[in-house]
Amino acid sequence: MQFIASTVSLTVDDVAASQAFFTTYLGYTVQQAADGFASLSRDDAVDIVLLVRGIEVLPPEQRDQRASGLILAFTLSGGLAEEEKRLRDAGAQITMPLRQEPWGEALFQVTDPNGLIVQFVEWVAPEHR
């Protein structure tokens, strides 16, 4: 088996709002879009499919579920503080300010209009106690 791509499919109430968030703030581009559907991509990250809650392409038991309890995390190679400032200045909702964990993870989170949590991570030297 050889994977050629990775995609996460997220069910939301307002596809257009999440689409605008990912394209405006995170540099995704729209590959395809229709009523209740959008396919987004970046060359350096997982592809994202957004589906409107209730869409009939989903099995009946999944149609009314929303993406929740999920954190979409992106690991950066540097510049985490600058990225948080850029997003804050651009008007993105920073829901967890930049912080560093004792095990060496620096991170912050933003939340899109549908409540999707996006986390940005950079690995740094852990604190020694």
Side-chain angles (χ1 to χ4, degrees):
M1 175 183 349
Q2 180 180 0
F3 296 116
I4 60 168
S6 297
T7 305
V8 61
S9 181
L10 304 169
T11 305
V12 297
D13 287 324
D14 185 344
V15 169
S18 286
Q19 177 181 319
F21 175 87
F22 281 97
T23 57
T24 300
Y25 297 122
L26 305 185
Y28 273 83
T29 58
V30 177
Q31 298 305 302
Q32 297 177 21
D35 188 31
F37 165 84
S39 175
L40 312 175
S41 71
R42 274 185 64 124
D43 290 341
D44 60 351
V46 65
D47 292 342
I48 297 172
V49 168
L50 300 166
L51 297 172
V52 69
R53 190 169 59 91
I55 196 165
E56 292 185 5
V57 300
L58 293 172
E61 65 275 7
Q62 295 177 14
R63 288 181 190 158
D64 288 325
Q65 296 179 8
R66 286 186 197 96
S68 66
L70 169 88
I71 297 174
L72 183 58
F74 297 104
T75 303
L76 305 181
S77 61
L80 189 67
E82 293 82 3
E83 188 61 22
E84 185 209 28
K85 181 180 181 332
R86 180 191 72 80
L87 288 167
R88 184 182 304 280
D89 291 350
Q93 181 184 0
I94 307 293
T95 48
M96 181 195 311
L98 182 62
R99 67 189 210 192
Q100 183 169 342
E101 301 295 353
W103 54 84
E105 179 183 27
L107 68 142
F108 73 92
Q109 293 178 348
V110 297
T111 301
D112 98 325
N114 283 293
L116 297 174
I117 299 169
V118 180
Q119 180 170 293
F120 297 89
V121 175
E122 183 178 38
W123 292 97
V124 294
E127 296 175 5
H128 296 287
R129 294 182 186 249

